[in-house]
Amino acid sequence: MTDPSWWYARPGGRGDWTCPPAPDGVRGFHASLDGYAPTPLTELPPLAGELGVGRVYVKDESSRLGLPAFKALGASWAVHRVLAERRRRDGEGAPLTLVTATDGNHGRAVARTARLLGQRARVFVPRGVHPAAASAIAAEGAEVTPVAGPYDEAVRRAAGAARAPGAVLVQDTAWPGYERIPAWIVEGYSTLFAEIDAQLGGPPPSRPDLVAVPVGVGSLAQAAVTHYRSRPAAPGPALLSVEPEAAACVLAGLVRGEPVTVATGETAMAGLNCGTPSSIAWPHLRRGLDAAVAVTDADSARAARDLAALGVSSGPCGAASLAGVRAALTGAGARRRRTALGVGGSSTLVLLSTEGAAANPYGD
């Protein structure tokens, strides 16, 4: 049977590749920040019944360090590393301008971090980002520069602006020659998965059987792979990436066996509207993901409504996780896809809801 175009499962399954873990100290750094608390891991039995599994948990990132998305974890750790390195090299000096491109959440996280630390921020915003999201970035004190093109063009513009004296690029995607700061951002995301381990209980921590991760350039998915594939003594969960049909660059690359750039379209999942995977994420995704799925805006909108009815505030990007597992585990051909993921009636699923409804308003 031919796989549908919106689905890919890696031949051979998981368990044949490992990678080094995230460094120690990241979660301790986050715990030292004002306002830090683990975000909820909420069990939703109605979804377990719908999906035919044992338990479903949603990691609710609708309020993370005072912002409505998980991105503050990566931005705060990366800027901390940037400023610490600068102090070692040059002393305190004048404030830096932290430059980035964003589909919404990362830019606001960089802007908030800059404001709290007495730095400046300049954020390039591509087309398709809701005006309210751009206004929220400006409200953090950042200089917001609109870009008429897609996300990849905004990244190019930001990289150019960061060559100015006193500026540094804090981008959550990597390419050859620009990889250290994106790697710090990925390290920052490790706190999210350490929290999940603690919240599932132990010791040793209980392991989910499947983790669904929304994917833009793939940095959060890289963090998931790093967390779950760096422990060869314990079988890890199946890892499922979820992308919009309008910007499924990781799915396309997995099908071809090499990284590709895709032309992006319009999607309510603005934070996932990325055409090129991060260069440091790609090797992890190629070897560490078990499957990839692409979903429609209608799928994501329905998932957001259903999560809201169950008490979880989720924007279109965050709700993509539920849309993705629905596509994978139900409907025509579901038995084959469930087998590929190793999911059965007693399985435990963790869905990453990466943003709240306030992060990127849509539908108005």
Side-chain angles (χ1 to χ4, degrees):
M1 182 177 74
T2 302
D3 286 331
S5 61
W6 47 264
W7 166 260
Y8 169 87
R10 183 166 63 88
R14 62 190 182 280
D16 59 353
W17 178 79
T18 60
C19 61
D24 294 333
V26 180
R27 190 179 182 192
F29 164 77
H30 286 132
S32 73
L33 300 178
D34 288 343
Y36 170 78
T39 55
L41 185 70
T42 303
E43 185 173 5
L44 297 178
L47 294 183
E50 174 194 341
L51 297 168
V53 298
R55 310 182 86 170
V56 173
Y57 294 91
V58 173
K59 183 63 167 166
D60 178 359
E61 293 291 314
S62 61
S63 180
R64 171 67 79 173
L65 290 168
L67 295 175
F70 77 103
K71 292 284 191 174
L73 292 173
S76 60
W77 175 249
V79 173
H80 164 73
R81 295 293 304 270
V82 167
L83 296 179
E85 182 177 84
R86 185 195 191 214
R87 283 192 296 272
R88 286 193 299 269
R89 186 182 66 241
D90 304 323
E92 287 295 336
L96 291 174
T97 298
L98 308 179
V99 183
T100 196
T102 188
D103 279 323
N105 295 325
H106 172 70
R108 188 175 178 188
V110 170
R112 170 69 64 87
T113 302
R115 179 171 64 78
L116 292 175
L117 296 178
Q119 311 298 313
R120 296 184 292 265
R122 185 178 182 189
V123 181
F124 289 77
V125 177
R127 68 175 183 234
V129 173
H130 196 283
S135 295
I137 297 169
E140 300 290 348
E143 176 187 353
V144 175
T145 301
V147 175
Y151 174 80
D152 287 3
E153 176 61 23
V155 171
R156 287 190 287 271
R157 292 277 305 277
R163 298 188 188 103
V168 61
L169 185 67
V170 183
Q171 195 60 57
D172 55 349
T173 187
W175 54 87
Y178 180 73
E179 295 182 329
R180 184 170 57 162
I181 291 175
W184 289 339
I185 290 172
V186 172
E187 289 174 1
Y189 298 155
S190 64
T191 291
L192 186 155
F193 299 99
E195 290 175 0
I196 292 173
D197 282 351
Q199 289 165 323
L200 286 176
S206 175
R207 297 274 182 228
D209 299 294
L210 170 69
V211 178
V213 188
V215 168
V217 299
S219 295
L220 180 62
Q222 179 187 351
V225 169
T226 298
H227 185 78
Y228 292 112
R229 302 293 185 251
S230 60
R231 305 173 185 193
L239 298 177
L240 172 69
S241 71
V242 186
E243 298 171 280
E245 285 188 345
C249 62
V250 169
L251 174 61
L254 292 173
V255 170
R256 286 186 54 174
E258 61 184 7
V260 299
T261 294
V262 301
T264 57
E266 299 297 323
T267 175
M269 291 171 272
L272 310 182
N273 196 11
C274 306
T276 305
S278 171
S279 65
I280 59 171
W282 173 253
H284 289 71
L285 307 186
R286 181 176 65 87
R287 300 295 300 275
L289 288 176
D290 294 277
V293 64
V295 298
T296 67
D297 280 7
D299 296 332
S300 175
R302 176 193 166 210
R305 290 192 298 270
D306 292 346
L307 287 170
L310 294 170
V312 175
S313 172
S314 187
C317 297
S321 291
L322 174 54
V325 296
R326 280 173 163 165
L329 302 182
T330 65
R335 180 178 298 179
R336 186 165 180 250
R337 295 190 295 273
R338 292 172 78 98
T339 298
L341 292 168
V343 170
S346 61
S347 295
T348 295
L349 278 54
V350 171
L351 316 182
L352 304 188
S353 179
T354 51
E355 64 176 16
N360 279 304
Y362 65 101
D364 54 353

